Amino acid sequence: MKLKRITFILAMSIATTALAQDKPKKPLGYQNTPIIPGTKWHVHDGERPQPKIVTPGEPSTQEKAGTAPSDAVVLFDGKDLSKWKHGNGKDAQWKVENGYAEVAGGDIMTKDEFGPDVQLHLEFATPPAKGDGQGRGNSGCFFFGRYEIQILDSFDNPTYPDGQATAIYGQMPPLVNASLPPQKWQQYDIVFEGPRFNEDGTVAKPAVVTVLHNGVVTQNRTVLIGNTPHQQVGKYQKHGEKGPVRLQDHGNPMRFRNMWIRELKPVDSQ
Ligand code: MG
């Protein structure tokens, strides 16, 4: 009796599977439409690769750091600086406590390299207001170790515009000043398109950057003229398609939390 029932269940499941296989798959799109110029895909092509599924992270609040999207490389989640090293290659000296890392003992840079196009999220809090201008709450986030997006306490703290928070240092002031007061957690979301170089070292495509400061766009696909030195016009020097992210120690006890990065690849090449 028992065997009979099992045989029956088995037969039914085989029949169901066969039925599912016989049923023609509903096309997702069209193959009889024109080709989209510059691609091999038809308009509404159902065969085009599907974007992969990413689970968004939890948003941050002032009290609590959020989390990274499921496909991000977590650079710092409040626990340790194992993804970072000192700018000189030795261990990072920054102090980690209470879920944040505090600037101490020199720049830090990622052990891994990223590029050419990335999305980076970081959060920082500047110390209680002390000093002014570039001397107050100064740090910086460098892509490829050399292109600085300025981090500064720009809340009621005048300084040269191309040195304010989210300025491309020495090149382009932010569109607006979206700074929060000292000690508040602030967020940067940066899309950095790395430069491309020709064989001979000339620039094939300059770097381009978009920045959101606390959710407000402050750089809108700004084209970089080169690196970001102090008191000089930046210039390009050929480098690889990937590079480290560097965070600056400018002598102020800045705090960082919830840092992650994603490499951006077109859907057709993932
Ligand atoms: Mg700086």
Side-chain angles (χ1 to χ4, degrees):
M1 186 65 189
K2 204 172 179 191
L3 193 69
K4 239 181 178 174
R5 191 176 299 156
I6 290 169
T7 314
F8 175 74
I9 291 167
L10 210 68
M12 280 301 285
S13 78
I14 289 167
T16 317
T17 313
L19 215 75
Q21 276 169 356
D22 285 351
K23 209 171 148 195
K25 225 173 80 188
K26 192 172 169 241
L28 294 176
Y30 301 81
Q31 299 295 315
N32 59 353
T33 44
I35 292 284
I36 302 169
T39 78
K40 59 177 180 177
W41 308 108
H42 294 269
V43 175
H44 314 313
D45 199 326
E47 302 296 314
R48 196 169 183 169
Q50 293 285 339
K52 69 179 178 190
I53 292 164
V54 170
T55 309
E58 289 292 320
S60 293
T61 63
Q62 283 298 325
E63 291 72 35
K64 194 168 176 288
T67 57
S70 58
D71 68 339
V73 174
V74 175
L75 298 177
F76 178 64
D77 64 1
K79 295 191 185 86
D80 62 63
L81 288 171
S82 57
K83 291 282 171 67
W84 299 81
K85 59 186 178 184
H86 190 283
N88 63 12
K90 294 184 179 154
D91 287 346
Q93 302 293 309
W94 294 19
K95 187 170 65 181
V96 177
E97 58 182 17
N98 304 321
Y100 57 76
E102 189 171 293
V103 170
D107 290 5
I108 60 171
M109 60 200 288
T110 54
K111 292 176 181 170
D112 291 331
E113 299 195 335
F114 305 95
D117 303 329
V118 296
Q119 172 189 3
L120 180 126
H121 176 89
L122 67 78
E123 299 177 22
F124 67 92
T126 64
K130 197 175 137 207
D132 59 11
Q134 295 292 303
R136 184 195 292 185
N138 193 335
S139 180
C141 177
F142 294 75
F143 292 85
F144 295 86
R146 69 191 75 198
Y147 306 109
E148 183 181 13
I149 308 302
Q150 174 70 310
I151 298 174
L152 193 80
D153 177 359
S154 284
F155 188 85
D156 192 21
N157 178 32
T159 185
Y160 44 86
D162 68 18
Q164 289 192 18
T166 74
I168 297 162
Y169 190 71
Q171 296 187 25
M172 184 62 83
L175 293 168
V176 293
N177 181 348
S179 297
L180 291 176
Q183 297 182 285
K184 289 280 186 198
W185 285 105
Q186 306 196 49
Q187 304 191 18
Y188 278 13
D189 288 284
I190 304 170
V191 179
F192 196 93
E193 302 171 33
R196 296 343 190 236
F197 295 94
N198 299 311
E199 289 272 295
D200 65 359
T202 55
V203 178
K205 179 185 172 292
V208 175
V209 68
T210 296
V211 183
L212 280 77
H213 185 187
N214 299 321
V216 177
V217 174
T218 56
Q219 298 285 349
N220 180 17
R221 300 209 73 229
T222 307
V223 176
L224 275 72
I225 57 176
N227 66 344
T228 53
H230 182 53
Q231 294 188 331
Q232 286 173 49
V233 175
K235 53 178 187 285
Y236 282 107
Q237 196 167 14
K238 189 179 179 187
H239 57 74
E241 288 225 322
K242 289 177 189 276
V245 175
R246 184 156 65 88
L247 293 176
Q248 188 180 46
D249 176 355
H250 204 279
N252 302 131
M254 308 284 285
R255 292 173 179 177
F256 289 85
R257 71 176 192 185
N258 191 21
M259 297 193 276
W260 47 262
I261 193 165
R262 303 175 60 242
E263 287 187 342
L264 305 174
K265 296 182 184 105
V267 65
D268 299 331
S269 71
Q270 282 171 13

